[in-house]
Amino acid sequence: MSRSDWKPQREGNVPVYRQIADHIKEKIASGQWPVGSRLPSQRVLARDFGVNRSSVVTALEELAAEGILEGRVGSGTRVVNDTWSLLPSLPPDWSSMVDAGIHSPNLSMIRKINEEEFTPRMIRLGTGELSPEWYPRESMGRVLQRVSRKIVSLGYEEPKGLLPLRQEISRYLASIGITAAPSSILVVSGALQALQLISLGLLEKGSTILLEKPSYLFSIRVFQSAGMKLTGFPFRREGLRMDRVRHARASLYYTIPSFHNPTGALMSEERRRELLASCERERLPLIEDDVYRELSLDGPVPPPLKARDSKGTVLYLGSLSKVLAPGLRIGWVVGPEPVIDRLADIKMQTDYGSSTLSQWVAAEWLAEGSYRAHVERVRKELRKRRADADRILRKYWGDWADWELPAGGFYIWVRFRKPLPLHRLFEQALRRGVLLNPGSLYDPGDRSHLRLSYAYAPRREWERGVRIVADLLRDFF
Amino acid sequence: MSRSDWKPQREGNVPVYRQIADHIKEKIASGQWPVGSRLPSQRVLARDFGVNRSSVVTALEELAAEGILEGRVGSGTRVVNDTWSLLPSLPPDWSSMVDAGIHSPNLSMIRKINEEEFTPRMIRLGTGELSPEWYPRESMGRVLQRVSRKIVSLGYEEPKGLLPLRQEISRYLASIGITAAPSSILVVSGALQALQLISLGLLEKGSTILLEKPSYLFSIRVFQSAGMKLTGFPFRREGLRMDRVRHARASLYYTIPSFHNPTGALMSEERRRELLASCERERLPLIEDDVYRELSLDGPVPPPLKARDSKGTVLYLGSLSKVLAPGLRIGWVVGPEPVIDRLADIKMQTDYGSSTLSQWVAAEWLAEGSYRAHVERVRKELRKRRADADRILRKYWGDWADWELPAGGFYIWVRFRKPLPLHRLFEQALRRGVLLNPGSLYDPGDRSHLRLSYAYAPRREWERGVRIVADLLRDFF
């Protein structure tokens, strides 16, 4: 269970432990913590309530004495009774329902990361998100003002998304060599949703997805939850060997050719041609996840594979999340019209479309010149951060690790010179206030990488984080 | 395939049919209409391009002569070749992928409705959405201004959603008798998404959902696509017989107690108590879909079932879509904390959270007084519309149909005095520019109802629509 924002009153006659006991009773009586559910640990309760652990212990003991809670060593404290009911009875068996659900839970480390990101003062060394300080507050203010004059009603939109936004996306795509009418474009709530729609709309259970290893895709459960398998091929500059593809009988190939997550690699033009040609020959659909394209730091990026796709082999994913603001939750999928029609229909069944407000804001950003200016500014800042990160890493980790600086995007894929217990490192760093993204998230067998991102934490924090981890690393080397 | 916004040039030397042929070639060459895909009908192409059907026919004939298209009577025109390729080869077999995908397509009538809603000048007699003319443009402008000063960064949010919004929802819930801390609340992109998360997160394949018949739930595919079954019990004032529930061995009971969709019925207080007590006894989880609660037109509504839920039996759904603006895509689920935790984790895996911008706007609306003022205004308008609708229906359909006016919400569940071919009526009305929601959408066996909504179309349009349908009905009676 997650943090509470209730706190006991310090002034007054009711002792703190009593207030805590009453609060817990109310949680139970209102069905928020039903009979059978497990309480957070004493440590977490004490932190959330802002009290000493002893007050929590006293409160729990009292409730145990009343027969409401039951504590067992090793399995924590559970709600066993709600003594207020006239007819005592059990609630629905939620915990077996939670276990029985179809969709896999996130990897526990990802769940932990998702939660700990909101712990105040946490240093996030691996977060794949622009630094909040670069948020273009003033331009956004102007955009919101213009948009609020344009919007005459915030209704549901067409299944493929707000037409003015799709028209802007179509223009943007033309600027990177992709011909796509608004009818071949589906607006989605970020590229992740596109993957979910593809998993639900185009694949049979048991299908195989080919991909590079490591890959972002290993860190999420979207395809596996729908019953698909991921088959990763070691990531190499020369790319995938097509004889292996043939052997794998796959349904899709997933690639991040520009500033790959997590390695930062940029696929060469020649390699892109080869990959597309091979997939065309094999009639293997290709998902090109191109959400980092705009974040090129050292000159132009080769055209997207989609720009050369004359057969309709490629489903192309783009997004504003990595460049402008993830909180807009606006991305797009581009592909053959019958496929886009299918995905749009499932999108309607999933959430009736993305926020119309966000769609208007996105359209306005793409339409006006200040988007380019914003991208330029972000690139400049990222170049500085990348150089700083390199210097800091050399200084603190230089004896133990190697890395290549990426030509764009956010990530440095740091390789330690010997395998490490990454999970222990993660936990230890967390206790010292540093959040890491271990390589095992992106390649289950990995034991020697971390995905660092120089995009999120400010320089000083970044340095402090790297220093703290260096202290921990020393013990391993 | 859906409408195009390309149009041929009227001035210039290139004949219209030639331009159309070139346009189609470009669609094929860019992979938007890959080999194997089916073109829209001649009628639809002519409409979309804004040309005579003869120009379309000439263009298609020319492309057929070039071996690019192939037309067959009955199955339409298909792309059979892209003569530009050096190595002619087939694209991925998208059409069998579309067919093989896990998620069921929407009911074809729903797909049609989703599309036709955006046909200009279509009269929408059944649309469950507030009239665009009531959109609070000025207040929204002020809200956006305030929000743009508050937002310091639009990043990803906590798995359960923006905390200030959950705090406002928690306050709002308290005002209708529900005790729920922010940690028991998950922000979703509309109540539909909540249903999807429940289907993926809490149910096994083969589970049975009990519900009223007719029900909104029959018009969507969210549970069936995840492998669940719906078992409807005829909707009656006295509600469900619990002996049947026991027999059905269901996993969930779904209900819309306030201004039921599509019947408009309001469940009495007594009935609510009974239903909750029965579900508690059976340990049967209950989904209370309460998105129409605020739209009471004749005085107070009984408290939600959730307000009496001391066991944690009820998952409660609310939304701003029906009262403020569907385009915000903001709703909420309230339930036992472990269940909310599970749904939040799947939400993160689905779309990394709802639009942060929309969440800020929703929080601001709920926080400030003008939300209540807006709701009051909407109610006043709806009362007028309901009275108008009643008068209009009496005048034009009085001889053939019966209905009860609802005490709130949007819907009148009109019952014809004899069974009708509803699908034919739907198609005929559509051709005359009127969009209907036949009862069969909400109860597959229904042949005698229409769901009308007095909320969407302005009074005159509404009357015109009813009159047009009266002309059609005459033939059936």
Side-chain angles (χ1 to χ4, degrees), chain B residues 419-465:
Chain B
L420 293 181
L422 289 177
H423 201 279
R424 221 161 81 211
L425 183 65
F426 171 83
E427 291 289 348
Q428 287 177 354
L430 194 58
R431 277 200 289 278
R432 309 260 320 251
V434 181
L435 197 54
L436 294 175
N437 289 49
S440 49
L441 292 175
Y442 311 99
D443 170 359
D446 183 82
R447 290 180 61 209
S448 56
H449 289 85
L450 287 179
R451 183 190 86 175
L452 298 183
S453 157
Y454 46 82
Y456 190 81
R459 192 192 165 288
R460 279 178 186 218
E461 257 190 47
W462 214 85
E463 177 154 10
R464 201 165 65 243

Side-chain angles (χ1 to χ4, degrees), chain A residues 11-32:
Chain A
E11 298 90 36
N13 302 322
V14 189
V16 165
Y17 82 89
R18 190 65 267 166
Q19 294 182 53
I20 294 174
D22 289 347
H23 173 72
I24 292 177
K25 277 187 178 177
E26 195 197 287
K27 291 287 250 189
I28 299 168
S30 57
Q32 298 181 80

